[in-house]
Amino acid sequence: MNEVRPQLEELLFSSLENVLVESVEVTDLVVRVEALSTARQATCPGCGCPSERIHGSYLRFPHDLPTAGKSVVVALRVRRFVCPEESCPRKTFAEQVPGLTRRFGRRTERLRSALVSVGLALAGRAGARITDVFGTSVSRNTLLRLIASLPDPRVATPRVVGVDEYAQRKGRIYGTVLVDVETRRPVDLLPDREADTLAAWLAERPGIEIVCRDRAPFFAEGATRGAPQALQVADRWHLWHNLGEAAEKCVYRHRNCLSTAPAPPDEPQEETELAASSQWPTGHRFAERTRAKHATIHALLAAGHSKRSVARQLGMTLNTILRFSRAATPEELFTGQWQSRSTRLDAYKPYLEQRWQEGCTNAWKLWEEIKEQGYPHGYGNVRNYVSRTLRTKPQRVGPRPPSARTVTRWILTHPDALSEGDRLQLKAVLANCPELTALAEHVRAFAHMLTQLQGDHLPKWIEAATATTDLPGLRRFAQHLERDLNAVIAGLSLPWNSGVVEGHVNRIKMLKRQMFGRAGFELLRKRVLLAP
């Protein structure tokens, strides 16, 4: 063991000074290393005065990183010194070995660093399971406490900062993430998305020259008040996304242009008209139940069973069996209080049937449309009417017209990236509607500005888009751009954008899922700023 001790000392304490290994004891589960501090003096943590006067000594047992599958415990003898400064409130103090121990520490610094790295990467529960694997079991709360005790990193004031929001609790609580766009590293997290909070943060850092943001009004106001010297840049992706939403509203407004004339049917429509005029069409739960009972009763009667026997077998009264037996068809039984009853949807049914024939089969979309027309009730009635009545009616014969979202996608896609079929369908749609043709021209002009960074053409584009009277969605989009004109022009002219900020927002979502309900703001901020 005397030959092994210098090698072990070199292996375990090569980076430390003033540490002497006295003995090593190896058992089946634990490696016990006895060591002592050989420093001649120590510095008082209260007044900073060095002292060489020893008051006493004691043993500390910090846990170290495991080796060869065994846990390592260091039996370290440290000394207590007497403070030479009479005015110091500390009469005695215990020495600390730099890089090995800290006050009240139960682990060595390298084991603590390893646990911190695990906690930053995996958080509580997953991190605790990993520590079990390499032989240093700690609880999830210990890992979270280690992360919370870390100091904030020192970050230089960024020249280009990106700002965006993230959801602490979606729909209720939001925060702000700030990223150095040049280094692509997060700078800070703010507990809310208020303009005052952002303005105060920016005011403390006068070196910021460019602020990349979306078009949210609270970010625009906060950047204007907190960093008036900085140039604000609107993100190009958000501009294109907003243009897509406006284009879809315009296409939906002219949805009648998307439908083509129906082809003449090849088959007679007598059965269809009969089914449509029936009070209880196919698929209605009452009608199907009545038809099934009628068929079963007539089958038993045809097989020679008496009416009383049929009543006993089916668990029905004799009067019910008599009523079913007298009816030649199930439709004769379709009478009662439900027949011809007025409903809340009566005033809107013609419109729903028209939209159904035009190809709109989404009950939620239909409900939103009639709600804009004044329908005061909820979605359930519309859903029931669609599932029980409209779905039993045949739709128009011929190819189904493209939806508004599909046509919007065609318009927003570069013509060279469209397939041959999509290009032909878009050409047919635009040929039937001059308004959509004008919309496509405006969208392509905006796309050219965005891809070629020609922001100086934006005022002319806004003037042309505002002049359109048949495209109110595009006109409103252009009017909104005028409110934030300088930032939008900078976004369409400079290479800066908020893409790296969106990536960190997605990373924050992943971290919150890892920490479940323990993802409080302070702990989340530590993980975002300190994790590699």
Side-chain angles (χ1 to χ4, degrees), residues 179-194:
V179 179
D180 187 341
V181 178
E182 292 182 311
T183 62
R184 309 180 72 86
R185 290 287 302 170
V187 178
D188 204 350
L189 259 69
L190 305 181
D192 54 47
R193 56 178 181 180
E194 300 296 330

Side-chain angles (χ1 to χ4, degrees), residues 239-388:
L239 293 174
W240 185 251
H241 179 69
N242 295 338
L243 176 62
E245 293 177 338
E248 184 175 355
K249 293 178 181 178
C250 294
V251 174
Y252 183 75
R253 183 181 180 88
H254 296 84
R255 60 184 179 274
N256 293 332
C257 300
L258 308 182
S259 59
T260 57
D266 297 333
E267 299 178 359
Q269 300 291 323
E270 295 180 2
E271 286 189 13
T272 301
E273 295 175 359
L274 180 61
S277 62
S278 174
Q279 293 289 340
W280 305 104
T282 304
H284 193 280
R285 64 181 188 276
F286 174 76
E288 295 301 324
R289 186 167 65 245
T290 304
R291 289 189 180 100
K293 290 180 180 179
H294 183 272
T296 303
I297 292 172
H298 278 263
L300 292 175
L301 294 176
H305 294 271
S306 65
K307 294 182 177 62
R308 293 186 182 275
S309 175
V310 173
R312 286 193 300 269
Q313 294 180 47
L314 300 181
M316 299 179 181
T317 63
L318 181 59
N319 290 334
T320 303
I321 300 299
L322 292 174
R323 184 162 55 88
F324 272 81
S325 64
R326 297 190 188 108
T329 61
E331 283 72 19
E332 297 178 12
L333 300 169
F334 293 167
T335 58
Q337 58 178 345
W338 294 343
Q339 210 167 18
S340 302
R341 184 179 64 172
S342 60
T343 65
R344 300 172 179 176
L345 277 175
D346 287 344
Y348 304 93
K349 285 181 180 179
Y351 177 79
L352 294 177
E353 293 180 1
Q354 175 189 351
R355 294 289 291 122
W356 182 267
Q357 294 300 326
E358 291 175 357
C360 182
T361 59
N362 190 317
W364 185 272
K365 186 69 175 177
L366 294 173
W367 172 68
E368 289 181 337
E369 293 179 9
I370 64 174
K371 189 176 180 181
E372 293 179 356
Q373 299 177 8
Y375 179 65
H377 302 290
Y379 162 70
N381 294 330
V382 180
R383 179 195 58 200
N384 295 336
Y385 179 70
V386 169
S387 60
R388 297 174 183 176

Side-chain angles (χ1 to χ4, degrees), residues 160-163 202 208-213 223 227 230-234:
V160 183
V161 64
V163 183
L202 293 174
I208 295 176
E209 300 177 6
I210 298 176
V211 177
C212 299
R213 59 171 177 82
L231 175 64
Q232 299 183 37
V233 178

Side-chain angles (χ1 to χ4, degrees), residues 7 29 40 80 111 119 156 162 181 238 318 324-325 361 415 477:
Q7 300 178 3
L29 300 176
R40 296 183 57 186
R80 181 173 289 277
L111 177 57
V181 178
H238 288 89
L318 181 59
F324 272 81
S325 64
T361 59
F477 170 73

Side-chain angles (χ1 to χ4, degrees), residues 195-220:
D196 295 339
T197 307
L198 178 61
W201 189 91
L202 293 174
E204 296 175 357
R205 296 160 179 83
I208 295 176
E209 300 177 6
I210 298 176
V211 177
C212 299
R213 59 171 177 82
D214 57 19
R215 296 171 56 220
F218 39 84
F219 287 152

Side-chain angles (χ1 to χ4, degrees), residues 442 461-469 471 474-476 478-479 482:
H442 287 298
W461 185 92
I462 292 178
E463 182 180 356
T466 308
T468 58
T469 57
L471 301 173
L474 184 67
R475 186 174 66 252
R476 285 193 294 269
Q479 292 171 350
E482 288 184 323

